[in-house]
Amino acid sequence: MRDMAHAATEFLVDFIERLPNAPASDLDGALEAARRMREEPPEAGSPFNDLLQRVAEGAAKGFNTTGPGYLAYIPGGGLFAAALADFLACGVNRFVNLWNAAPAFAEIEATVIRWLAQQFGYPPEARGILTSGGSMANFSAIVTARRTRLAEDFLRGTVYVSAQTHASVAKSAVLAGFPAANVRKVPCASGLEIDLEALTQLIKEDRAAGFQPFFLVANAGTTNTGAVDAIADCVEVARREGLWLHVDGAYGGFFQLTDRGRALFRGIEDADSIVLDPHKGMFLPYGTGCLLVRNGRLLRDAHRVGADYLQDLAPEGEIPNFTDYSPELSRDFRGLRVWLPIKLHGLGAFRAALDEKLDLTQLLYEELRATPGFELRWRPRLTVVAFRYLPARGDPEDFNRRLLDRIIASKRVFLSSTLVDGRFTIRACVVSHRTHRDRIEEAAEIIKRSAKELEEGL
């Protein structure tokens, strides 16, 4: 057992130390490597070191989501301390969803949620849950709002999102029982924030048609471009119209730790609920999401269902029974992977890292903006730089698709694309705690050189 633990730790440390020089993505032979994993279950066991080698082979082929050059989608960092926390949590294997099964560990999770709620100015009665990610957190938020604002016959309830809101909200609404057509996509203003006049008009029209508007989503950083809705104004609309205001801060929410983020998110303390992804803005491993609800009793009322076979366990007291706040009964101990890095490094380290990402984003933006040919329609509000290159001749769509391929082929940086107003757009997202100025300067040079070489070849 000790030999296996030592070998696994050595592998992980070596893996992390090699990240700066590892390819930002490596899909050469990746499918063949995947096929080698496809096999029948063995009757006899194998040496641990042989199996660890197979893990290493699998980790080497794919997107290097933990590396400094990964600027695609929304990067997840994977702090080493969080990996150790998961190792410890899985080893001791305690059950935390009912508090008296593991009081100290349940309190760790409750403390983590309280810490997060405090960062957003939520009152002591706020409650929350740690989830597998923003998708499940959005689902529980919609269920809570539905059970709070609508009757049992809720199929006329309508949800309002901007055209830039993450698709998980619409998916959650459908899974919560609403027809897909009841999710209203509100047009965006020029900065890609929700158009509040269009929203108000849509609510008015829905009420006249017999619908029940009940749920409004404000974005604290969209995935496409990092756009931020005017949260304080959304609060005003929600209160006037009797809607539940939900803030999707899965990507951007943790920038609340910075002065710039707090200024952007003015009014977030008045939201009914907030979704966060610690596996983004806190650099934790994938599978760490969070839902905060301002009035914690509403979250509990929406999810609590009793069971006779749990009668021997203590009711909620000073420590919550998290199963009463969530769809889950059995789950892993997520709180330790949040608690240990915060205790080890302190919130100040996270604050400084997020400030650095904001600075690096402006650096990349200014480098591209100063280069002829690049189109950057939106100054980054958080850490997404969305851009296109406009060649002197040829089809811009085709050019930018080939430009993205060329950038990725460098294997030093990995970017992704999206569609904004129907146009192919390349985007770089700076979130990983391992991404620093040297890699962003290199990324800017790769992007500019790739565009120049591609245009010269036309």
Side-chain angles (χ1 to χ4, degrees):
M1 185 168 61
R2 292 180 184 275
D3 288 344
M4 287 193 294
H6 179 75
T9 305
E10 285 297 307
F11 159 73
L12 186 56
V13 170
D14 183 62
F15 174 83
I16 291 173
E17 288 178 344
R18 289 186 286 107
L19 283 173
N21 296 317
S25 66
D26 187 0
L27 296 175
D28 298 336
L31 187 56
E32 290 77 7
R35 287 171 179 154
R36 288 195 293 273
M37 299 292 186
R38 195 178 300 154
E39 58 187 347
E40 295 298 317
E43 189 65 28
S46 301
F48 180 75
N49 284 344
D50 292 352
L51 301 177
L52 194 57
Q53 180 58 37
R54 297 191 70 183
V55 173
E57 292 170 0
K61 294 297 180 181
F63 301 165
N64 188 358
T65 51
T66 49
Y70 189 78
L71 307 174
Y73 308 105
I74 307 292
L79 281 171
F80 183 66
L84 293 180
D86 273 2
F87 174 75
L88 294 170
C90 290
V92 300
N93 197 33
R94 292 295 185 262
F95 189 88
V96 298
N97 246 15
L98 292 159
W99 74 264
N100 71 326
F105 287 170
E107 179 55 43
I108 280 178
E109 197 142 310
T111 295
V112 162
I113 290 167
R114 186 169 64 252
W115 287 346
L116 298 182
Q118 287 170 348
Q119 304 312 308
F120 293 88
Y122 266 17
E125 61 267 23
R127 294 289 183 273
I129 51 171
L130 296 179
T131 68
S132 59
S135 295
M136 285 305 299
N138 280 327
F139 174 74
S140 275
I142 288 180
V143 168
T144 302
R146 189 199 78 194
R147 298 198 67 181
T148 300
R149 299 297 172 97
L150 301 176
E152 288 298 316
D153 181 9
F154 58 80
L155 293 182
R156 301 293 284 176
T158 47
V159 174
Y160 300 87
V161 302
S162 88
Q164 296 294 310
T165 298
H166 197 277
S168 65
V169 174
K171 185 176 184 179
S172 295
V174 171
L175 292 176
F178 294 95
N182 286 29
V183 180
R184 309 290 199 236
K185 284 191 176 182
V186 183
C188 290
S190 60
L192 298 183
E193 69 277 7
I194 192 168
D195 185 326
L196 294 173
E197 289 187 9
L199 168 65
T200 302
Q201 182 61 29
L202 192 52
I203 292 170
K204 180 179 178 181
E205 292 171 0
D206 280 341
R207 280 215 171 92
F211 288 97
Q212 294 177 277
F214 84 102
F215 193 82
L216 170 61
V217 179
N219 295 301
T222 62
T223 297
N224 270 350
T225 66
V228 177
D229 292 332
I231 297 175
D233 293 340
C234 289
V235 168
E236 184 179 335
V237 172
R239 285 179 172 171
R240 184 175 70 240
E241 301 289 348
L243 310 183
W244 179 286
L245 180 67
H246 175 66
V247 173
D248 185 351
Y251 150 54
F254 280 106
F255 288 97
Q256 174 78 3
L257 294 176
T258 71
D259 291 340
R260 284 171 282 185
R262 281 194 297 277
L264 282 174
F265 302 157
R266 185 178 63 85
I268 198 169
E269 67 278 2
D270 293 319
D272 293 294
S273 54
I274 304 170
V275 158
L276 304 166
D277 265 348
H279 64 216
K280 296 185 175 81
M282 288 194 73
F283 324 119
L284 302 185
Y286 291 121
T288 318
C290 179
L291 170 65
L292 302 174
V293 177
R294 199 170 193 280
N295 183 342
R297 178 183 59 79
L298 302 179
L299 178 63
R300 186 171 186 263
D301 289 348
H303 289 84
R304 187 173 184 273
V305 177
D308 292 342
Y309 47 79
L310 298 178
Q311 65 180 0
D312 298 333
L313 296 164
E316 176 166 328
E318 59 184 279
I319 305 173
N321 279 329
F322 288 107
T323 188
D324 291 341
Y325 294 82
S326 161
E328 298 177 294
L329 175 56
S330 299
R331 64 164 174 87
D332 55 329
F333 175 22
R334 297 176 182 130
L336 196 62
R337 77 175 73 125
V338 185
W339 179 86
L340 186 60
I342 292 177
K343 290 288 288 183
L344 183 65
H345 301 297
L347 279 179
F350 292 92
R351 199 182 324 278
L354 290 167
D355 263 321
E356 180 200 26
K357 305 316 160 196
L358 292 169
D359 292 339
L360 293 176
T361 303
Q362 293 301 319
L363 171 64
L364 180 58
Y365 170 79
E366 294 295 348
E367 282 286 329
L368 297 183
R369 190 171 74 101
T371 305
F374 282 96
E375 177 189 58
L376 294 98
R377 296 172 60 195
W378 306 280
R379 175 175 285 277
R381 304 198 75 189
L382 293 174
T383 63
V384 176
V385 179
F387 66 91
R388 287 161 53 88
Y389 189 87
L390 303 179
R393 59 186 181 277
D395 178 17
E397 298 295 299
D398 177 68
F399 183 94
N400 280 280
R401 290 179 189 277
R402 290 191 290 141
L403 174 58
L404 178 60
D405 290 342
R406 200 177 188 96
I407 294 166
I408 292 173
S410 73
K411 294 194 174 181
R412 292 293 295 165
V413 291
F414 185 66
L415 277 59
S416 58
S417 70
T418 189
L419 295 176
V420 182
D421 297 333
R423 302 195 307 170
F424 185 88
T425 302
I426 302 173
R427 56 184 296 287
C429 182
V430 187
V431 175
S432 173
H433 66 287
R434 296 187 176 98
T435 302
H436 302 296
R437 186 183 183 97
D438 59 337
R439 190 59 62 109
I440 294 303
E441 290 177 341
E442 184 179 4
E445 288 305 312
I446 289 170
I447 294 167
K448 292 188 291 185
R449 183 175 66 247
S450 297
K452 180 182 178 182
E453 292 172 351
L454 198 56
E455 187 164 41
E456 287 175 348
L458 290 177

